[in-house]
Amino acid sequence: MAVDDLKQEIRQKCAALDIPLVGFAPADRWDQPLLDPWVPEAFRPLSIYPETKTVIVFGLPVSLPIVDSAPSIWYHELYKTVNSLLDQDGYRIASFLASRGFPSVWIPRDGYGSLEIVKEKPVAFFSHRHAAFLAGLGNFGVNNVLLTPEFGPRVRFASVFTAAEIPPDTVREEPLCTRCMRCVDACPVNALPGQEYPDGLTDKLICTARSEALNKRALSPCGICIRVCPVGRDRILYQRQDCAMYDEENPDAASLQRSWKHVRSYGSR
């Protein structure tokens, strides 16, 4: 099978699974640092699955109107649902490639067992956001999250390592972050220092501690830094381009804010 045909088949498979974002990066692209600090060697595809030729990264969005209610039971359930779908889709894509004769493995969307473990070891064994960056799906914002043109930071990723050599996509060079600093100002625990990524890294311990506290109330994850980000065409779809709606004293957003308060008041501790 021609590699271009295989790439098209994978895109069609993703479309059939209602996956809107998919990108491709050669495994050796991790060996060419594009940021400083960069992904350590042990965390790169060739160290995890030496047969890897291509990393396929795919993403599912988290719906903006639901994220707007965060932290809430509504976003909590959406997050769990998207995570489950990512894992199922990754398994299906890897199985699809294996059936075509290309050894492939799926990498789960998180790669850690609990928030308690994350406090001890604040990294997963593989970074999907760096994979998405190298596969041309977006680039990093001040909030340390990968921003995409389609959904801003409101998207979750998983990856498939495959022995198939698939033509790569181009790394996106034009920055998407507007440096509006809404994420920095809105963070309830001041976990974002405000510098460009990776100079200004999220304080993972503080961020994880907040997630742990919210999890005990069935409210995790926090979601505030991705809620207030102005980037993403999803804002046009939902007619929520004006991020001033998140300002509590904004009378023009009173009805929206009442709806968020209602959702946050029920279904959780």
Side-chain angles (χ1 to χ4, degrees):
M1 177 184 295
V3 290
D4 287 329
D5 292 342
L6 179 60
K7 186 173 185 177
Q8 183 60 23
E9 272 201 53
I10 295 168
R11 290 194 179 279
Q12 290 172 351
K13 178 70 173 178
C14 288
L17 293 170
D18 295 322
I19 297 172
L21 298 181
V22 60
F24 303 81
D28 60 6
R29 190 173 276 176
W30 272 255
D31 298 329
Q32 305 160 23
L34 296 180
L35 301 169
D36 184 21
W38 185 238
V39 179
E41 185 175 357
F43 294 82
R44 299 174 191 174
L46 289 171
S47 296
I48 297 169
Y49 182 57
E51 296 87 346
T52 308
K53 298 296 184 184
T54 303
V55 177
I56 304 166
V57 190
F58 58 96
L60 294 176
V62 287
S63 307
L64 174 59
I66 300 178
V67 178
D68 277 343
S69 72
S72 69
I73 188 64
W74 199 5
Y75 180 45
H76 176 79
E77 294 297 333
L78 172 66
Y79 189 85
K80 290 195 301 181
T81 298
V82 169
N83 280 350
S84 177
L85 288 170
L86 284 168
D87 286 344
Q88 293 176 52
D89 291 343
Y91 178 86
R92 289 191 176 100
I93 293 168
S95 298
F96 166 77
L97 285 163
S99 73
R100 296 294 192 276
F102 301 103
S104 304
V105 294
W106 139 83
I107 307 297
R109 84 283 171 184
D110 283 332
Y112 57 84
S114 69
L115 290 171
E116 186 68 27
I117 292 172
V118 171
K119 287 197 300 183
E120 299 172 10
K121 300 177 181 179
V123 292
F125 71 85
F126 181 70
S127 171
H128 296 294
R129 59 180 181 153
H130 285 88
F133 167 61
L134 290 173
L137 294 178
N139 45 45
F140 292 95
V142 170
N143 58 5
N144 282 220
V145 180
L146 193 92
L147 309 184
T148 67
E150 298 85 355
F151 307 105
R154 293 167 293 276
V155 58
R156 298 278 289 154
F157 296 103
S159 305
V160 168
F161 294 176
T162 180
E165 293 192 50
I166 301 171
D169 292 320
T170 303
V171 175
R172 180 177 293 273
E173 295 184 0
E174 185 68 25
L176 293 169
C177 182
T178 66
R179 294 194 56 80
C180 67
M181 296 300 163
R182 280 191 169 272
C183 58
V184 176
D185 296 337
C187 180
V189 292
N190 299 314
L192 296 169
Q195 287 86 25
E196 295 281 358
Y197 181 86
D199 294 325
L201 295 176
T202 301
D203 189 320
K204 292 183 179 180
L205 291 179
I206 292 177
C207 187
T208 301
R210 169 154 171 87
S211 293
E212 190 174 41
L214 290 173
N215 195 47
K216 292 176 181 177
R217 300 169 55 200
L219 283 173
S220 65
C222 173
I224 290 176
C225 68
I226 70 169
R227 181 183 80 192
V228 301
C229 180
V231 179
R233 291 195 291 271
D234 55 342
R235 290 203 167 277
I236 299 172
L237 172 65
Y238 292 108
Q239 299 182 22
R240 300 190 180 195
Q241 297 99 309
D242 186 2
C243 289
M245 69 182 192
Y246 301 114
D247 299 337
E248 291 187 5
E249 305 303 321
N250 185 350
D252 295 331
S255 62
L256 279 173
Q257 294 187 20
R258 279 196 302 271
S259 73
W260 303 334
K261 289 178 182 178
H262 167 73
V263 172
R264 291 170 193 154
S265 297
Y266 296 93
S268 59
R269 295 184 181 92

